[in-house]
Amino acid sequence: MLRDELILQNPLRILAQDNENILPKGGFGVVLARAGVGKTALLVQLALNSLLRGKKVLHISLDDPVNKVNLWYKEVFYHLTKPHDVKTSSELWESMLPHRFIMTFKVEGFSVPKLEERLTDLKEQNIFSPQAVFIDGLPLDQSPKESLLNLKTFAKNQSLHTWFTIQTHRHEKPDPDDMPVQLQNIADLFDVAIQLESEGKEIHLKVLKGGSANSEHAKLLLDPRTMLIT
């Protein structure tokens, strides 16, 4: 079955702590990288992995409209299933769509209380009840630690797996623990932190925090042509 095959072939499996989930229920994960390195591509692959495992996924974009987010999913899924039968791949894609909901915010209009309110509305009206939430483009300078603590509490109460992307900058120096400045003072809220770093023609995945204790982490790369993890 194609779904099972894609799950087994997924290189991100080596990050999982319990043979399935990279994050615990209520856990926070973050993907950090400079602009254009592949944050959204990796976030979409994490989301597709959740969809393949039967989870309901809410994707929140603070940068792109719904049609562009959907295009990201289509392109990544196309590259994942390119070696396989087109009809089977199309059927799998159609079967996953009801389990994905895309929500957009304008950056200046985003706040943790607004997010919690919209999530609650979706659930109470039986429109969509996510098990995993993916937030692309979180503006940390507008999200103080108290707000993130409130969101962490909300995620724990709802048993949500929550992933974020955060943009870093070339000129910024990490702290003595090799943690990017964007996570200073809030690193304790995140269970997993993954940084994408371009080295020549290669993009390396560097696990800064969490994940399984596996030396294979060092071998994970993001293919700049397909934006798939290899």
Side-chain angles (χ1 to χ4, degrees), residues 29-33 38-39 42-43 46 163-167 194 196:
V30 60
V31 176
L32 303 108
K39 295 185 298 297
L42 178 53
L43 193 74
L46 289 162
W163 283 92
F164 305 83
T165 64
I166 295 175
Q167 184 172 326
I194 302 171
L196 295 175

Side-chain angles (χ1 to χ4, degrees), residues 6-7 9 16 20 22 27 34 63 74 85 96-97 123 126 136 153 165 172 178 187 197 204 212 224:
L6 292 176
I7 291 173
Q9 291 176 349
E20 179 174 347
I22 300 174
R34 297 194 302 273
D63 297 310
K74 284 184 175 181
D85 176 68
M96 293 194 303
L97 288 181
K123 295 189 69 171
N126 293 320
D136 193 9
T153 300
T165 64
E172 296 166 336
D178 210 23
E197 293 185 333
H204 292 253
S212 62

Side-chain angles (χ1 to χ4, degrees), residues 144-190:
K145 187 170 184 176
E146 183 180 358
S147 294
L148 289 174
L149 279 168
N150 292 337
L151 182 56
K152 182 86 168 180
T153 300
F154 181 85
K156 284 185 175 181
N157 290 339
Q158 302 294 326
S159 298
L160 297 174
H161 306 268
T162 307
W163 283 92
F164 305 83
T165 64
I166 295 175
Q167 184 172 326
T168 59
H169 305 281
R170 186 184 299 274
H171 66 274
E172 296 166 336
K173 300 295 183 183
D175 67 15
D177 296 322
D178 210 23
M179 198 66 66
V181 296
Q182 287 79 7
L183 292 188
Q184 291 173 14
N185 302 320
I186 59 170
D188 57 309
L189 298 180
F190 292 89

Side-chain angles (χ1 to χ4, degrees), residues 124-137:
E124 289 182 349
Q125 296 180 64
N126 293 320
I127 296 172
F128 195 77
S129 183
Q131 296 162 290
V133 178
F134 297 81
I135 305 174
D136 193 9

Side-chain angles (χ1 to χ4, degrees), residues 2-230:
L2 179 57
R3 182 188 299 268
D4 295 335
E5 188 173 341
L6 292 176
I7 291 173
L8 290 172
Q9 291 176 349
N10 187 353
L12 292 169
R13 289 177 66 243
I14 67 174
L15 298 178
Q17 300 185 45
D18 57 6
N19 295 322
E20 179 174 347
N21 296 304
I22 300 174
L23 292 178
K25 289 183 178 179
F28 274 12
V30 60
V31 176
L32 303 108
R34 297 194 302 273
V37 175
K39 295 185 298 297
T40 299
L42 178 53
L43 193 74
V44 167
Q45 286 177 77
L46 289 162
L48 284 171
N49 183 52
S50 294
L51 287 167
L52 288 168
R53 293 180 180 278
K55 290 184 172 62
K56 291 187 176 181
V57 163
L58 173 64
H59 185 114
I60 299 168
S61 176
L62 280 70
D63 297 310
D64 298 320
V66 171
N67 61 340
K68 189 170 182 179
V69 176
N70 188 48
L71 185 60
W72 266 110
Y73 276 83
K74 284 184 175 181
E75 288 185 352
V76 173
F77 186 78
Y78 167 77
H79 286 298
L80 280 173
T81 59
K82 190 175 181 180
H84 302 278
D85 176 68
V86 173
K87 183 174 182 294
T88 303
S89 299
S90 297
E91 290 174 350
L92 177 57
W93 170 254
E94 292 297 328
S95 73
M96 293 194 303
L97 288 181
H99 298 278
R100 186 201 63 181
F101 192 97
I102 299 172
M103 181 185 295
T104 60
F105 281 92
K106 292 184 177 179
V107 174
E108 62 272 14
F110 176 83
S111 69
V112 170
K114 283 185 179 179
L115 173 58
E116 292 181 7
E117 180 182 351
R118 290 180 68 174
L119 282 171
T120 301
D121 286 346
L122 286 175
K123 295 189 69 171
E124 289 182 349
Q125 296 180 64
N126 293 320
I127 296 172
F128 195 77
S129 183
Q131 296 162 290
V133 178
F134 297 81
I135 305 174
D136 193 9
L138 178 71
L140 280 185
D141 57 340
Q142 299 176 30
S143 303
K145 187 170 184 176
E146 183 180 358
S147 294
L148 289 174
L149 279 168
N150 292 337
L151 182 56
K152 182 86 168 180
T153 300
F154 181 85
K156 284 185 175 181
N157 290 339
Q158 302 294 326
S159 298
L160 297 174
H161 306 268
T162 307
W163 283 92
F164 305 83
T165 64
I166 295 175
Q167 184 172 326
T168 59
H169 305 281
R170 186 184 299 274
H171 66 274
E172 296 166 336
K173 300 295 183 183
D175 67 15
D177 296 322
D178 210 23
M179 198 66 66
V181 296
Q182 287 79 7
L183 292 188
Q184 291 173 14
N185 302 320
I186 59 170
D188 57 309
L189 298 180
F190 292 89
D191 302 271
V192 177
I194 302 171
Q195 187 166 26
L196 295 175
E197 293 185 333
S198 56
E199 298 181 15
K201 295 183 178 181
E202 295 181 335
I203 300 174
H204 292 253
L205 269 73
K206 183 178 181 181
V207 180
L208 303 177
K209 183 177 181 181
S212 62
N214 194 323
S215 61
E216 293 294 317
H217 293 171
K219 298 180 181 179
L220 287 178
L221 300 172
L222 189 69
D223 185 336
R225 182 180 58 84
T226 64
M227 302 307 282
L228 295 182
I229 303 300
T230 59

